[in-house]
Amino acid sequence: MSDQQTAPYGRWASDITPEFLVQSNIPFVDVFVDPLRSHLLPQIYHIERRAADNGRYVIVNTTTDVDVIPSPLSARTSVQEYGGAAAIAYGGVIYFSNFADNRVYKIIEGDTAEPVSPDNPSYRYANFAVHPEKQHLLVSILEDHTVDTPQTIITTLCVINTTRKAVFPLVSGADFYSSPGSLIYVADVITQPDTILLLNKQKVAGQMLKISVSYPSFANDTTLVFTSDESGYQNPFVYDTVTNTARPVLPSPIGRDFGSPAWTLGDYPYAIIDDGNTAAFVAFADGRTVLYTVNLTQVSRPDLRIFPFTVAGHLRLLHSSLHTSSLVFTAGSSETPGGIIRCDFDNQIVGRPDPQYTVLKASGSFTGYEGYIPHPEPITLPRDGKPLHVIYYAPKNPKYPGPTNPNEKPPCIVNVHGGPTSMEPQVLSLFKIYFTSRGYSWLDVNYGGSSGYGREYIGRLASNWGIVDVRDCYDAPRLLAAEANPRIDGSRVAIRGGSAGGYTTLASLCLESTPNTKYFKAATSLYGISDLLSLARDTHKFELKYMIKLLGGSVDDIPRVYKDRSPLYYAKNITVPLLVLQGAEDRVVPPEQAEKIVSEIQQSGGQDRVKYRKFPGEGHGWRLETTIKEAVQLEREWYETKLL
């Protein structure tokens, strides 16, 4: 114990350096399986983002740990800007969207990649499906940026003829197409030599603005599986193509969301196992994931299985029979690094109902640093009879048993997630540990509007963006500081967030409707929104009309509300020290959103209160090693000088 030290909270020395933060974490953005080779010799692939290699997205053979695509190819798509589902494997061939030129390539391991789509950089592709017989035909989302404004981008489903390197239209007329969606249709498929036709289109489920349906896939030739929040929570449903009827899988709804909002493509919350008779679903419970198996052939209660992960996604079938079933997925835990996980079910042994888990590839190593990992404490704060969900992380560093003054409470960093109808999961984050290991407490606020707690909780934000989120992020630390045994020092609280979280951060500092614009002592906005009026015109197509629900109408109908909720027009009220970080190539929240509010603060005499850094080569979030390291150091230095 002689090596233990004391120092004030926030001044602890830590071995969690910016270099360690980057080198000890490999983000896995997808995992996929070759379905034609999975029964004999499973072929599993994953995509990992490498910050040290210019943020390149690399397809890797998970079993051999060998790169499938060479530099500079990057398996990433910007469809809907958030991307996802950039690659697929089928019959030994891998197809992927290449980020630099937006073309689709095919490659066989060990060979040279070949483009198979037209040479048109205005076309973006994602979420591929290979025709089971005519394997040179791919169905894909096509996002056409020929006239590249948010209002004129055209999204369709298309057929890519990889032999002719030609694209043929398949379905058009809607704003968006993807596997997740608000409406699900089925149709008869007619295959022609060069393309595919659809006949007898029929709606399966979903109702605009009232019932959200997502993640459709076929369990067999006649059974379509999907999720629906008809009950108020996303629960599993099936549709029978013979009887043309849909039904819930469960005898009565469960108050848990079986899946998260589809911000990225291809992030399926389930896989079909047991030879098509069962689905393995992850669902959200108390801010973390649990695993159910549900019977698809009859209405029955689901079985809750042992599941050691706090967040999981991209569930893919690896192998299925009446005897055994296997799937793979990406996962994370609050105690250990996540990775690519294999899950094996034995369908025959009665005494061992729970699956067995194998880590195929870890996202990093934390060996020797286990003493720095804080335990997440999910807390439901009662307030006005409505719950407020937060996750608290106390300071933790094995070298420091506590602060110099035993009566001192730690400063608190309030983290506001993006979305805004997203959520902050309970997963090990080296970024958070970078601060908790230095003596800060960390508070994730899943404010009203966050997903994972049902449609009613999400609905709190409807028409109330800039009000409910701001109030919740103010109330959460205030309530923790007012407890009989306070967890935090209420006089040293910072707020930070990215994207929509950056908007809430800025709004908390200046809007006339905020409870106390001087409660927070420091703030950081990462690619945050400052002007809702211009965002309603300039943001990307995927979220162009998102604010109609969040604010209660279009910008033309209620321009005053858009202005009153925009921090830019109240920037003179910002007296809290503010750090603004922005990507130079951000198309979701353009750089002028940051630059305008920084200029307003400076012109109102706040030159010393605001600091701005724009990172070249970055979009909506950090992908480059140099950016990640500089950004975390800038934020730490900001709190050390402004908060402590």
Side-chain angles (χ1 to χ4, degrees):
M1 302 295 289
S2 59
D3 61 341
Q4 290 196 329
Q5 308 169 41
T6 58
Y9 282 123
R11 303 288 185 183
W12 295 354
S14 173
D15 293 328
I16 310 300
T17 63
E19 291 73 22
F20 180 82
L21 187 151
V22 173
Q23 296 167 5
S24 299
N25 181 46
I26 305 173
F28 296 129
V29 298
D30 201 355
V31 61
F32 55 98
V33 176
D34 188 333
L36 296 190
R37 303 181 67 184
S38 61
H39 292 280
L40 299 176
L41 182 62
Q43 290 295 322
I44 307 168
Y45 303 94
H46 66 270
I47 301 177
E48 57 186 56
R49 188 180 79 232
R50 296 178 181 168
D53 189 8
N54 294 318
R56 193 165 69 94
Y57 285 50
V58 184
I59 299 175
V60 181
N61 184 310
T62 309
T63 304
T64 63
D65 201 27
V66 173
D67 290 359
V68 174
I69 61 173
S71 180
L73 295 175
S74 181
R76 177 183 163 205
T77 176
S78 293
V79 167
Q80 298 175 357
E81 296 301 328
Y82 295 119
I88 191 173
Y90 199 88
V93 181
I94 299 170
Y95 298 94
F96 66 96
S97 177
N98 181 49
F99 183 70
D101 59 8
N102 288 331
R103 298 185 75 180
V104 179
Y105 286 69
K106 77 172 184 178
I107 190 171
I108 298 173
E109 286 193 74
D111 290 349
T112 303
E114 173 192 355
V116 295
S117 65
D119 184 7
N120 186 338
S122 296
Y123 286 1
R124 301 178 184 180
Y125 305 90
N127 224 8
F128 309 104
V130 181
H131 193 288
E133 296 177 353
K134 307 292 185 180
Q135 295 180 16
H136 65 291
L137 299 179
L138 306 182
V139 174
S140 170
I141 298 172
L142 169 60
E143 197 173 78
D144 184 351
H145 289 250
T146 300
V147 184
D148 197 14
T149 71
Q151 295 81 6
T152 54
I153 293 169
I154 300 172
T155 307
T156 62
L157 287 179
C158 74
V159 177
I160 304 172
N161 187 316
T162 62
T163 301
R164 293 182 53 186
K165 300 183 181 180
V167 171
F168 298 89
L170 184 62
V171 182
S172 62
D175 287 330
F176 300 101
Y177 293 95
S178 63
S179 288
S182 295
L183 299 173
I184 297 175
Y185 289 82
V186 296
D188 296 330
V189 178
I190 307 299
T191 305
Q192 297 187 329
D194 288 331
T195 187
I196 296 169
L197 299 177
L198 298 181
L199 300 176
N200 303 320
K201 184 176 73 170
Q202 182 172 328
K203 181 181 171 183
V204 170
Q207 186 176 354
M208 287 291 190
L209 302 179
K210 293 184 178 181
I211 300 175
S212 171
V213 289
S214 302
Y215 304 112
S217 70
F218 278 96
N220 53 47
D221 290 343
T222 61
T223 305
L224 180 71
V225 183
F226 61 96
T227 66
S228 171
D229 72 350
E230 183 176 324
S231 68
Y233 289 86
Q234 289 283 350
N235 277 197
F237 278 64
V238 293
Y239 174 82
D240 190 319
T241 61
V242 176
T243 62
N244 294 326
T245 58
R247 65 168 176 85
V249 172
L250 310 179
S252 59
I254 291 181
R256 292 178 175 179
D257 281 328
F258 286 64
S260 57
W263 287 100
T264 58
L265 299 165
D267 190 4
Y268 268 66
Y270 69 91
I272 308 299
I273 62 172
D274 189 19
D275 207 26
N277 297 313
T278 306
F281 263 95
V282 290
F284 289 99
D286 300 322
R288 55 159 293 162
T289 51
V290 295
L291 179 70
Y292 288 102
T293 51
V294 298
N295 191 318
L296 300 176
T297 63
Q298 61 185 21
V299 176
S300 61
R301 301 300 300 174
D303 293 319
L304 184 63
R305 304 302 189 109
I306 291 176
F307 197 64
F309 308 101
T310 56
V311 63
H314 306 102
L315 275 69
R316 317 292 189 207
L317 174 66
L318 182 60
H319 163 75
S320 181
S321 70
L322 291 174
H323 300 286
T324 61
S325 299
S326 303
L327 56 96
V328 293
F329 54 88
T330 60
S333 168
S334 60
E335 307 294 337
T336 59
I340 307 297
I341 312 298
R342 174 172 175 153
C343 173
D344 296 300
F345 295 86
D346 193 319
N347 304 324
Q348 300 297 306
I349 299 178
V350 177
R352 195 181 71 186
D354 286 305
Q356 306 298 306
Y357 299 99
T358 305
V359 178
L360 299 180
K361 186 173 183 181
S363 60
S365 174
F366 224 63
T367 303
Y369 298 87
E370 293 86 352
Y372 288 98
I373 301 175
H375 181 73
E377 183 182 354
I379 304 170
T380 300
L381 297 170
R383 187 207 48 198
D384 300 330
K386 295 182 178 180
L388 170 58
H389 302 289
V390 303
I391 306 163
Y392 176 74
Y393 297 85
K396 190 173 182 183
N397 186 319
K399 298 178 181 179
Y400 294 85
T404 305
N405 180 353
N407 296 319
E408 182 189 3
K409 299 298 179 182
C412 180
I413 299 173
V414 173
N415 180 55
V416 193
H417 65 71
T421 53
S422 183
M423 70 174 298
E424 188 67 25
Q426 299 170 38
V427 63
L428 187 150
S429 165
L430 290 180
F431 184 85
K432 296 175 187 178
I433 295 174
Y434 181 85
F435 287 97
T436 57
S437 67
R438 287 169 167 77
Y440 294 91
S441 61
W442 185 280
L443 184 65
D444 288 325
V445 182
N446 282 325
Y447 51 81
S450 303
S451 58
Y453 303 97
R455 190 179 185 94
E456 181 181 350
Y457 197 76
I458 292 177
R460 290 188 190 180
L461 205 61
S463 302
N464 289 309
W465 194 28
I467 297 175
V468 167
D469 51 322
V470 169
R471 184 195 63 197
D472 287 359
C473 290
Y474 164 73
D475 281 351
R478 183 179 58 82
L479 291 172
L480 291 183
E483 293 178 323
N485 184 19
R487 290 177 173 87
I488 67 170
D489 182 350
S491 66
R492 295 188 295 169
V493 180
I495 185 170
R496 52 98 61 200
S499 190
Y503 164 74
T504 301
T505 295
L506 296 173
S508 299
L509 306 181
C510 65
L511 294 191
E512 302 290 352
S513 58
T514 54
N516 188 338
T517 58
K518 297 180 176 60
Y519 177 76
F520 299 106
K521 303 307 179 191
T524 302
S525 171
L526 303 96
Y527 35 92
I529 302 157
S530 68
D531 183 9
L532 298 175
L533 287 168
S534 63
L535 190 75
R537 299 186 299 268
D538 300 335
T539 192
H540 61 138
K541 181 188 177 186
F542 186 57
E543 294 182 297
L544 187 62
K545 298 183 179 180
Y546 192 24
M547 288 180 288
I548 293 177
K549 185 172 185 178
L550 294 174
L551 296 174
S554 71
V555 64
D556 294 329
D557 293 335
I558 51 171
R560 188 69 208 179
V561 172
Y562 279 68
K563 186 172 184 179
D564 286 347
R565 305 268 185 93
S566 295
L568 174 64
Y569 303 102
Y570 300 92
K572 66 179 184 301
N573 295 339
I574 296 180
T575 58
V576 174
L578 173 65
L579 174 65
V580 179
L581 307 178
Q582 176 69 42
E585 299 175 15
D586 193 342
R587 295 192 56 166
V588 178
V589 180
E592 69 170 8
Q593 289 277 333
E595 291 161 358
K596 284 184 177 180
I597 195 166
V598 168
S599 177
E600 287 292 321
I601 296 171
Q602 291 173 337
Q603 291 179 21
S604 62
Q607 293 90 340
D608 296 334
R609 297 195 303 270
V610 65
K611 183 174 183 178
Y612 178 52
R613 176 71 168 96
K614 181 164 67 175
F615 296 101
E618 294 286 12
H620 199 62
W622 314 144
R623 292 180 173 86
L624 304 179
E625 179 178 12
T626 52
T627 303
I628 295 170
K629 291 193 293 187
E630 182 181 350
V632 72
Q633 290 183 93
L634 283 171
E635 193 167 347
R636 174 180 59 82
E637 292 167 357
W638 192 251
Y639 300 147
E640 286 181 353
T641 57
K642 307 298 184 181
L643 181 64
L644 301 183

